[in-house]
Amino acid sequence: MRKILAGALLGLGLIAPAQAQTVNAGTYDVEGTNLDGSAYGGTATITLTSETTCAIEWQTGSTTSNGICMLYDNAFAAAYVLGDAVGLVVYEVNDDGSLHGAWTISGKDGSGTEVLTPQ
């Protein structure tokens, strides 16, 4: 019984703990699709405000949007204001630091897509 217990404990020690994803402060290239399917591009700047929260600013063409964001496990979400509308985007954090997600705007049907790639 001791050998089985010792073997089980040794096996547990060899299992690496899951590594938490992280989002880095800085500038990201933006590639996305609008609600109508048309493409857009630009940059996003993320400024960390704590270990899990941040501020984010998108610059796409002549449009600037500002929001707040939060990291939870491998999900990264942001709420933002675009003109008179409120928007929401949810990204999956990838191992290479890129963020792949979908977004929507209040009062509109459907969703767009967006990828943020660290510069």
Side-chain angles (χ1 to χ4, degrees):
M1 183 64 145
R2 284 186 188 173
K3 287 183 182 181
I4 293 172
L5 184 57
L9 291 174
L10 180 60
L12 287 174
L14 295 176
I15 298 172
Q19 200 170 39
Q21 294 288 354
T22 187
V23 172
N24 294 313
T27 304
Y28 291 73
D29 290 324
V30 175
E31 291 182 27
T33 57
N34 289 305
L35 300 178
D36 65 3
S38 62
Y40 66 89
T43 59
T45 303
I46 296 174
T47 305
L48 300 179
T49 55
S50 79
E51 288 184 19
T52 58
T53 60
C54 58
I56 185 167
E57 179 181 278
W58 290 268
Q59 182 68 46
T60 55
S62 62
T63 303
T64 300
S65 302
N66 292 288
I68 61 169
C69 37
M70 182 179 133
L71 176 66
Y72 181 78
D73 287 335
N74 71 332
F76 183 73
Y80 58 94
V81 176
L82 183 61
D84 293 333
V86 175
L88 175 67
V89 59
V90 178
Y91 302 98
E92 180 178 1
V93 181
N94 293 300
D95 291 337
D96 64 359
S98 65
L99 308 170
H100 293 245
W103 60 269
T104 193
I105 298 174
S106 59
K108 302 287 184 178
D109 290 332
S111 61
T113 63
E114 190 166 270
V115 176
L116 304 184
T117 305
Q119 286 188 343

